[in-house]
Amino acid sequence: MSIPDITLNDDHTIPQLGFGVFKVDPGETERIVSDALEAGYRHIDTAAVYRNEEGVGRAIAASGIPRDELFVTTKLWNSEQGTDSTRAALATSLETLGLDHVDLYLIHWPRPDLDRYVASWQTLEELRGEGLTRSIGVSNFHRPHLERLLAETDTVPAVNQIELHPAFAQRELRAFGEGHGIRTEAWGPLGQGKYDLFGEQAVQAAASAHGATPAQVVIRWHLQHGIIVFPKSSTRERIAENIDVFGFELTADEMAAIDALDRGLRVGADPDTATF
Ligand code: NAD
């Protein structure tokens, strides 16, 4: 099993498949992330607001895996956007993780109503210069938010992490990002279990053709589109299943059939109007 690396616009690399820990219980995070590391994941996606950075850090420390073989992402929560508060937020995350740097630090949501994401981004640029994060990126940014960063700041985000699954394929936003060297990361890659993605005929047919599970087919669909993906699971079997996706390839017809499931079905919040 070999997870491909993707080279970002700052020349750092990121494992294309990782492990997400949204809604992973803080009390169980160390065990679950340890299971993921044991299964072979080397890229962990957490956030300050998940309240489980401590467990992620403990699992990393206990694993004995050299730090430079791991890729850790965390995110700036909305209430901390700004200049000094952004700096303090990353310091707190690093302390909680027990790390001296993260590999990727993201602005979690643009919160355009606050009008602080440009100032936050300029602080991320400084923090990267100080070595506290290797790469910097954004999450839940729509095209106008990206355009503001491109126009008003010096650094193009390395990634934009957005809700993305077959029924919400985000083609235009992906194309815009990739036209500017911004790689797309998918959150909710399995639709967060909020609609019957795994029951779709296109997914079922590909699964039986390849002797794979529906989740493995959907993860392949992301990978074959060049998307960075980190499905979440708290069960050992599914954690192993979701990384066991390098023994088959979807055909062009199977990819097209899954592409045809796109119907603009957002299951999470709309970044233009979210106020949390
Ligand atoms: P997901 O689409 O990965 O769905 C997770 C759910 O799918 C699990 O709770 C489980 O019920 C089910 N599942 C997982 N593997 C399965 C399998 N093999 N078979 C059957 N069911 C399976 O949703 P997610 O966790 O929200 O997204 C992945 C990661 O993206 C998160 O953990 C987090 O790191 C990140 N994320 C980021 C944002 C953001 O705003 N930036 C928002 C949500 C999530």
Side-chain angles (χ1 to χ4, degrees):
M1 169 195 344
S2 159
I3 297 176
D5 273 333
I6 288 199
T7 302
L8 302 173
N9 63 13
D10 57 11
D11 289 335
H12 290 300
T13 59
I14 182 170
Q16 193 184 358
L17 176 62
F19 185 70
V21 296
F22 178 47
K23 292 202 170 157
V24 171
D25 186 284
E28 286 194 277
T29 302
E30 180 178 353
R31 174 188 66 75
I32 290 169
V33 173
S34 297
D35 285 348
L37 295 173
E38 202 175 301
Y41 295 85
R42 291 293 179 268
H43 162 187
I44 309 293
D45 184 273
T46 184
V49 76
Y50 302 167
R51 303 271 173 244
N52 56 22
E53 289 170 312
E54 191 177 340
V56 171
R58 284 216 211 104
I60 287 171
S63 73
I65 298 168
R67 176 67 185 89
D68 63 2
E69 291 176 20
L70 292 168
F71 192 101
V72 181
T73 299
T74 195
K75 313 185 190 88
L76 172 71
W77 187 239
N78 306 340
S79 55
E80 309 311 304
Q81 280 203 33
T83 301
D84 295 347
S85 48
T86 293
R87 187 167 275 284
L90 179 55
T92 301
S93 283
L94 289 174
E95 164 134 27
T96 311
L97 285 159
L99 298 176
D100 62 7
H101 72 278
V102 286
D103 298 278
L104 179 60
Y105 197 47
L106 304 180
I107 299 179
H108 206 147
W109 291 82
R111 283 294 304 269
D113 57 315
L114 299 176
D115 196 19
R116 291 207 289 263
Y117 65 78
V118 173
S120 304
W121 184 248
Q122 288 163 333
T123 306
L124 260 60
E125 290 177 306
E126 291 174 14
L127 295 166
R128 188 187 61 162
E130 293 163 29
L132 299 172
T133 178
R134 292 265 157 85
S135 297
I136 54 177
V138 296
S139 178
N140 298 299
F141 273 44
H142 281 166
R143 178 172 172 159
H145 313 133
L146 293 171
E147 283 174 334
R148 253 195 95 185
L149 293 189
L150 295 174
E152 296 179 34
T153 76
D154 297 327
T155 309
V156 177
V159 305
N160 187 18
Q161 182 179 125
I162 54 176
E163 181 186 335
L164 202 176
H165 40 84
F168 193 55
Q170 299 260 36
R171 268 175 248 221
E172 284 177 20
L173 192 50
R174 262 159 61 198
F176 178 81
E178 279 154 31
H180 289 83
I182 304 168
R183 296 303 299 229
T184 299
E185 296 191 332
W187 69 252
L190 306 176
Q192 295 186 322
K194 289 186 177 163
Y195 64 96
D196 189 18
L197 172 59
F198 298 158
E200 293 283 2
Q201 159 67 14
V203 174
Q204 291 268 333
S208 36
H210 296 282
T213 67
Q216 289 172 325
V217 165
V218 174
I219 293 164
R220 276 299 319 173
W221 175 84
H222 286 280
L223 294 172
Q224 290 181 220
H225 272 307
I227 295 161
I228 300 162
V229 63
F230 26 83
K232 171 253 168 181
S233 173
S234 297
T235 50
R236 217 182 153 87
E237 295 70 29
R238 285 174 171 179
I239 289 170
E241 174 184 327
N242 294 348
I243 197 176
D244 182 17
V245 291
F246 297 99
F248 70 101
E249 197 168 338
L250 300 176
T251 65
D253 285 349
E254 289 165 341
M255 288 292 287
I258 299 171
D259 287 340
L261 300 176
D262 188 14
R263 54 185 188 279
L265 181 70
R266 193 191 282 286
V267 301
D270 184 335
D272 286 326
T273 52
T275 53
F276 40 73

